Amino acid sequence: MIKQTLIVFIFFVSLINLNAQTFVVKGKVTNNSEALPFVTIAVKGTQNGVISNDLGNYEISLGKGTHTLVFQYVGFSKTEKVIELSKNLNLDVDLKSAGVSLNEVVVKAGEDPSYPIIRKAIKKRSYYNNHIEEYTCQSYIKGLQRLISVPEKFKKLVKLTTGEKFDSTQLGVIYLSESESNYYFKKPNLQKEIMFSSRVSGNNQAFSFNQLSQMQFNFNQNLISIGQISDRPIVSPLNKTAFLYYKFYLLDSLFEDGKKINKILVKPKRKTDPCFTGIIYIQDKTWRLTGADLRLTKDQKINFVDTLTIKQLHASVIGDSIWMPVNHNFSFSFKFMGIIGNGYFNASIKNYNLKPGLKKEFFSNELLVINDSANKKDSTYWLKNRPTPLTVEETKDYKKKDSIEKVESTDRYKDSVDHKRNRYRPNNFFTGYTYQITKKRFTVSLPGIITSGVQYNTVEGLNLSYNLSATKAYENNTKHVFDGRVRYGFSNFLWGGEVGYNYFYNPKKFSRIGVRVKSIAEQYNQQDPIAPLVNSLYTLLMNENYMKLFKESGAEVNYFTELVNGVFLSANTKYVERAALKNTEDRLLIDNNSKLFTSNDPRNENNFDSLFTTNRAYTAEILFSFRFKQRFVTTPNEKIIVGSKYPRLVVGYKKAFPVFNTVADYDLATGSVSDVINMGLFGRLGYRVRGGAYVNTAKLFFMDFKYFLGNQTIFNTNDYLSSYRLLPYYTYSADKWFLEAHAEHHFNGFILNKLPLLKKLSAQEVAGIHFLSSNNLKDYYEINFGLENIFRVLRVDYVLGYGIENKVRHGFTIGINTRL
């Protein structure tokens, strides 16, 4: 009886194993023998599928029996293959191109037949944007970047700056990563993504930042934002005003599963408009978008890359009623100063669930979570779970860099590299020197003579300011940072210096605590509105000694942390002695006999003797910063702030206590609100409003006044959204109350990109208005008009100012381009 039972048991186990047996189907997808990368291969009637790799190869495991494989690729006719599996199978597939090539398009008189189709698709946008209440899906994203070639000049530059020969083995793959995520969505716009696996070639401690949400371009929206790649959003071919921006041409009509698909060419009406060029596919009668193959070039003023190609493939999820994207592909190429490269990011999406029953409480302002174990998956896991086989190039890169990482992670290797790298070379005298103990995550940095502060002013004469820093870091992103500065004036023989220490102890809260001790010359306005180099040039060449200094000696303790998401606390307290300094130097390179140097007294340019008596101050200041509904990304060791649709609000209070032999006694309350508003094709508007009042002025010294970021030179080195271009540095500082407001609009080339000359300069228009009112200056205005992004780095403004002595001031300023 036992023997018979055992035989029956073995029989049923054999049947189970037979049914559970899987076989491998693999092959290559081509078009006329040319490999097709990122083709979607789905098992009909299921959500199971894979994609072909960069060389067109694919591989899928299936059970015994009959299956139908569906091969889909943007721009090619869908192909189905019925297979009977009882063993491993090699299946190569050649896809047929759908329609004609772009250069075969013939423009005919009258309205192209694509226009009625586009009108109907535009009318259906609202429906397709709202017909799905919620869904979840799973994505696999691979990213790869290659360095194809570098010029000889670049190799020589590497040799000059590092002392080492450029390693030609660095050509080829420079970045390769894979990740898997679960994505969650609920109307109106609740999103969350959880990355549960991640791999970066050559760095098993790193995480991929491949976000599906950043690749899901919805062409049913009016504008498509592509982040840092473009300062301007891109107009969708299905924008409600698309006919103002695009020309459309019907290339062909295809039939898939009995459904008519219209293949439509889209081209910008104007070459420099922020528009795509390429092909979109729209299903007849339903007027839904089923695919897109679009590109951007330098004509659209994109950044970092020369071309960007975006491909998107949609497929039915529920019958023919619901279609969702199943593949997103971004491919790019770049050429910069002779350096040539390319790459791609490809997202394959599966396991859609359109009724997951998500609760609103599941969502928060946390957009992406990277699990602690995400980078702990081994090669066996990836071999089993990646939906596309690695190419030979990718396999070699993983093996090579993983092997290199094992060697480079040893203390012996780190010591040998440090021994070579830490050698002091003659060029370090000019460019700076860095000493490292890599295995202990310890770094010391010293500036070179070029980057150190060689300055000239009328108080110290020629002076040298030398900075240094040391950092001890840990694997959990905590660190100790030491910094110091030594300063010596050759005219007044004044030594000065400061040393600081900060402990960054909680990266997820941005928490740090620090202490600083100093005795050094400082500007009265400790926001340092006057750049030392600019002041040196104006002093030596133009008889204008704008910078005014005093000596501050004492100690400070500071603290910063995030209390809850979007609420930050900053606090500091310091005890200092303030001493006056006088001019001791009057030499210059070009002497203008009509000008004399002014005194070092900011309040009286003719007062060369009595400035102020030495005094002491003990102050405490606390600031709260609020960014409501702040969005962020969480990694195992840090928090990354993404932004918020609400303004930033800051409130603060500063108190000077007349204790411990100090005399300063005042209270200052302040507040500010600021934001940057994205206005689509019309650019970005940034604004900042600040105000404050001294609620107690029992004993107030000039360095305790509220200063504003003014400027009296042609160079603007201050924050554009916090400063004035024509306001004197010290004259109108406030000692009772103040209100300042700043607004600047960056047009992002909305007008100038249509002008050929300025288009070549990459210039973009900018305009702003600035206002100041205080107890010492009533209603001061500035208006500026300018060009920014000139050759990507420069900004020039023409400024008009009114309110000082009821006169109109004007002038030009030059500065470095900054982005809001």
Side-chain angles (χ1 to χ4, degrees):
M1 185 68 179
I2 295 175
K3 187 176 181 180
Q4 291 176 335
T5 303
L6 182 61
I7 292 173
V8 172
F9 175 76
I10 293 173
F11 175 74
F12 278 106
V13 169
S14 299
L15 285 178
I16 292 171
N17 286 337
L18 185 62
N19 289 330
Q21 187 176 7
T22 61
F23 300 98
V24 175
V25 181
K26 63 181 180 180
K28 189 168 187 175
V29 187
T30 59
N31 170 244
N32 296 327
S33 300
E34 184 176 342
L36 291 180
F38 315 120
V39 175
T40 298
I41 301 101
V43 182
K44 191 172 184 179
T46 74
Q47 291 201 38
N48 185 23
V50 296
I51 55 174
S52 65
N53 65 19
D54 201 18
L55 298 179
N57 298 313
Y58 74 94
E59 184 176 307
I60 187 170
S61 297
L62 297 171
K64 182 180 180 180
T66 303
H67 305 275
T68 301
L69 296 183
V70 182
F71 295 79
Q72 288 181 284
Y73 189 62
V74 176
F76 292 80
S77 298
K78 183 168 69 173
T79 299
E80 295 187 2
K81 296 288 184 179
V82 179
I83 58 174
E84 183 72 32
L85 276 186
S86 58
K87 61 180 180 179
N88 294 337
L89 175 67
N90 189 79
L91 178 64
D92 294 333
V93 176
D94 188 75
L95 297 186
K96 302 303 180 183
S97 180
V100 298
S101 61
L102 298 186
N103 56 9
E104 293 175 320
V105 176
V106 178
V107 180
K108 300 179 181 179
E111 183 179 74
D112 189 270
S114 64
Y115 279 72
I117 299 172
I118 295 296
R119 290 190 187 98
K120 293 173 183 178
I122 291 174
K123 287 182 179 180
K124 290 285 285 187
R125 290 185 320 133
S126 178
Y127 170 76
Y128 288 120
N129 279 330
N130 294 284
H131 73 310
I132 298 176
E133 293 289 329
E134 60 177 356
Y135 70 89
T136 65
C137 63
Q138 183 177 321
S139 71
Y140 165 83
I141 302 177
K142 181 193 289 184
L144 181 143
Q145 297 175 37
R146 300 183 187 88
L147 191 60
I148 296 175
S149 66
V150 298
E152 289 300 321
K153 291 181 180 179
F154 179 81
K155 296 178 181 179
K156 292 178 180 178
L157 180 62
V158 171
K159 175 71 174 178
L160 177 65
T161 55
T162 66
E164 299 178 8
K165 185 178 179 180
F166 178 81
D167 186 0
S168 60
T169 61
Q170 294 175 1
L171 296 176
V173 178
I174 58 175
Y175 175 80
L176 172 62
S177 74
E178 300 173 274
S179 66
E180 292 178 298
S181 299
N182 289 323
Y183 180 78
Y184 308 84
F185 172 85
K186 188 178 183 67
K187 286 177 58 177
N189 192 32
L190 299 176
Q191 301 179 59
K192 188 169 186 175
E193 192 169 349
I194 300 177
M195 184 182 296
F196 58 87
S197 62
S198 171
R199 186 180 185 186
V200 178
S201 180
N203 190 345
N204 61 18
Q205 298 299 312
F207 298 94
S208 306
F209 284 93
N210 305 331
Q211 285 184 249
L212 179 61
S213 58
Q214 293 183 348
M215 299 185 70
Q216 286 183 311
F217 292 170
N218 181 0
F219 292 102
N220 284 313
Q221 295 178 344
N222 285 319
L223 300 173
I224 309 297
S225 175
I226 56 175
Q228 300 295 320
I229 297 294
S230 175
D231 295 330
R232 304 177 293 174
I234 308 301
V235 179
S236 168
L238 300 181
N239 185 292
K240 63 182 179 181
T241 59
F243 297 110
L244 297 177
Y245 295 92
Y246 283 100
K247 296 177 182 178
F248 299 93
Y249 305 96
L250 180 62
L251 300 183
D252 202 355
S253 295
L254 322 169
F255 286 88
E256 291 184 354
D257 299 327
K259 305 292 183 180
K260 183 179 178 181
I261 306 293
N262 298 293
K263 181 179 181 181
I264 298 173
L265 171 67
V266 301
K267 296 179 69 175
K269 282 191 171 182
R270 291 164 293 275
K271 190 176 181 181
T272 57
D273 276 355
C275 297
F276 296 104
T277 298
I279 296 172
I280 59 175
Y281 297 83
I282 296 178
Q283 190 180 66
D284 215 48
K285 296 184 179 180
T286 64
W287 315 117
R288 65 162 58 94
L289 184 75
T290 64
D293 184 358
L294 303 169
R295 68 178 179 270
L296 299 169
T297 69
K298 281 297 184 182
D299 287 330
Q300 283 72 50
K301 313 308 295 180
I302 56 178
N303 304 319
F304 310 118
V305 297
D306 293 318
T307 61
L308 174 65
T309 300
I310 299 170
K311 293 184 179 182
Q312 194 176 94
L313 178 66
H314 297 230
S316 61
V317 177
I318 299 179
D320 194 51
S321 61
I322 304 293
W323 286 52
M324 298 292 287
V326 294
N327 189 262
H328 301 274
N329 180 268
F330 297 171
S331 300
F332 57 87
S333 64
F334 62 87
K335 182 176 182 181
F336 177 72
M337 297 180 65
I339 301 173
I340 301 174
N342 61 29
Y344 69 83
F345 284 89
N346 191 83
S348 175
I349 309 168
K350 64 179 182 179
N351 297 337
Y352 275 104
N353 182 356
L354 302 185
K355 293 183 178 181
L358 298 172
K359 304 295 184 183
K360 286 188 176 181
E361 294 75 18
F362 171 76
F363 299 93
S364 65
N365 296 308
E366 189 177 40
L367 301 182
L368 171 66
V369 182
I370 301 178
N371 288 343
D372 291 356
S373 60
N375 61 355
K376 303 298 189 295
K377 305 293 194 298
D378 59 19
S379 57
T380 303
Y381 172 88
W382 286 104
L383 186 62
K384 180 181 178 181
N385 288 278
R386 70 165 59 93
T388 178
L390 296 175
T391 64
V392 173
E393 178 188 42
E394 292 163 352
T395 302
K396 286 183 177 179
D397 188 72
Y398 271 130
K399 289 182 178 179
K400 172 187 172 183
K401 290 181 180 174
D402 289 349
S403 299
I404 291 173
E405 183 185 22
K406 289 180 181 179
V407 174
E408 292 181 347
S409 63
T410 63
D411 288 348
R412 181 178 180 181
Y413 177 84
K414 292 175 182 177
D415 289 342
S416 65
V417 172
D418 287 342
H419 179 72
K420 184 177 181 180
R421 184 186 294 150
N422 291 338
R423 294 173 185 168
Y424 191 88
R425 298 176 177 84
N427 63 293
N428 294 137
F429 177 78
F430 300 97
T431 61
Y433 173 72
T434 298
Y435 176 84
Q436 290 182 299
I437 305 178
T438 305
K439 65 183 179 184
K440 295 184 177 180
R441 299 173 183 264
F442 179 73
T443 304
V444 176
S445 297
L446 303 173
I449 192 67
I450 296 174
T451 54
S452 63
V454 180
Q455 310 164 19
Y456 181 85
N457 60 65
T458 54
V459 174
E460 301 166 294
L462 181 67
N463 63 87
L464 176 65
S465 181
Y466 195 79
N467 304 321
L468 68 157
S469 66
T471 301
K472 167 62 178 175
Y474 300 90
E475 286 188 8
N476 61 358
N477 279 3
T478 62
K479 61 183 177 181
H480 303 276
V481 177
F482 299 85
D483 67 272
R485 179 165 59 124
V486 178
R487 182 181 180 120
Y488 180 72
F490 288 89
S491 178
N492 63 354
F493 310 107
L494 179 66
W495 280 99
E498 62 180 330
V499 60
Y501 162 74
N502 281 278
Y503 176 39
F504 297 79
Y505 63 89
N506 186 350
K508 288 191 175 182
K509 291 288 187 180
F510 310 98
S511 304
R512 69 176 184 267
I513 186 169
V515 62
R516 182 167 299 277
V517 178
K518 68 177 182 178
S519 179
I520 200 166
E522 298 278 16
Q523 294 188 43
Y524 278 89
N525 182 350
Q526 294 194 21
Q527 298 178 83
D528 294 341
I530 315 169
L533 177 60
V534 173
N535 182 75
S536 299
L537 293 174
Y538 268 75
T539 302
L540 289 169
L541 303 177
M542 303 182 69
N543 287 41
E544 299 284 9
N545 57 324
Y546 291 122
M547 185 182 290
K548 309 302 178 187
L549 304 169
F550 72 100
K551 183 180 179 182
E552 185 171 78
S553 305
E556 173 185 353
V557 178
N558 59 76
Y559 176 73
F560 182 86
T561 193
E562 185 179 38
L563 301 176
V564 296
N565 182 48
V567 180
F568 297 88
L569 166 67
S570 175
N572 75 76
T573 180
K574 64 180 180 179
Y575 184 94
V576 292
E577 179 180 271
R578 291 88 67 92
L581 297 173
K582 299 180 181 179
N583 287 347
T584 62
E585 182 62 90
D586 60 1
R587 281 178 284 190
L588 38 72
L589 296 179
I590 299 176
D591 190 3
N592 185 340
N593 294 326
S594 64
K595 293 182 180 178
L596 295 175
F597 284 137
T598 58
S599 77
N600 192 47
D601 186 345
R603 296 167 297 177
N604 186 349
E605 64 181 23
N606 298 313
N607 181 17
F608 289 87
D609 296 317
S610 58
L611 302 178
F612 64 86
T613 58
T614 300
N615 64 83
R616 294 176 180 175
Y618 172 60
T619 62
E621 183 175 17
I622 187 168
L623 291 169
F624 289 96
S625 174
F626 303 90
R627 196 71 190 270
F628 302 106
K629 294 191 176 182
Q630 174 182 269
R631 294 168 296 172
F632 61 96
V633 170
T634 301
T635 76
N637 290 325
E638 65 179 334
K639 176 179 180 178
I640 302 170
I641 296 174
V642 177
S644 171
K645 63 180 181 180
Y646 295 99
R648 181 185 301 278
L649 174 66
V650 180
V651 294
Y653 197 89
K654 185 176 183 180
K655 168 70 175 175
F657 301 90
V659 295
F660 309 129
N661 200 29
T662 64
V663 294
D665 183 4
Y666 63 88
D667 293 72
L668 173 62
T670 59
S672 70
V673 60
S674 60
D675 198 10
V676 176
I677 302 172
N678 191 332
M679 303 184 71
L681 293 176
F682 296 100
R684 309 179 312 278
L685 173 66
Y687 70 87
R688 179 173 286 117
V689 179
R690 287 190 292 214
Y694 289 87
V695 296
N696 165 36
T697 57
K699 191 64 175 178
L700 199 63
F701 293 88
F702 191 65
M703 66 284 299
D704 301 317
F705 286 17
K706 169 58 186 176
Y707 294 95
F708 310 104
L709 287 173
N711 183 49
Q712 293 175 255
T713 73
I714 194 174
F715 302 105
N716 184 50
T717 59
N718 298 316
D719 175 30
Y720 286 98
L721 203 57
S722 301
S723 63
Y724 303 90
R725 316 314 192 257
L726 304 177
L727 184 71
Y729 293 110
Y730 304 105
T731 308
Y732 301 102
S733 53
D735 59 354
K736 290 183 181 179
W737 61 269
F738 68 93
L739 175 65
E740 58 177 316
H742 307 268
E744 284 206 336
H745 189 81
H746 300 254
F747 292 87
N748 293 344
F750 180 74
I751 301 171
L752 298 184
N753 277 340
K754 299 173 178 62
L755 305 178
L757 177 61
L758 294 177
K759 171 181 173 292
K760 292 182 179 180
L761 297 177
S762 299
Q764 299 175 357
E765 57 274 40
V766 60
I769 183 169
H770 309 266
F771 170 78
L772 174 62
S773 184
S774 74
N775 60 289
N776 287 323
L777 180 62
K778 305 297 183 183
D779 299 345
Y780 173 73
Y781 300 90
E782 282 187 0
I783 300 175
N784 62 280
F785 308 92
L787 298 178
E788 62 179 349
N789 209 42
I790 302 173
F791 303 117
R792 298 292 183 188
V793 295
L794 294 179
R795 171 171 167 170
V796 177
D797 284 275
Y798 177 70
V799 190
L800 292 168
Y802 178 79
I804 297 177
E805 299 176 351
N806 293 323
K807 294 181 180 179
V808 175
R809 296 165 167 242
H810 66 97
F812 286 93
T813 61
I814 301 172
I816 301 299
N817 180 64
T818 58
R819 179 182 173 88
L820 290 176

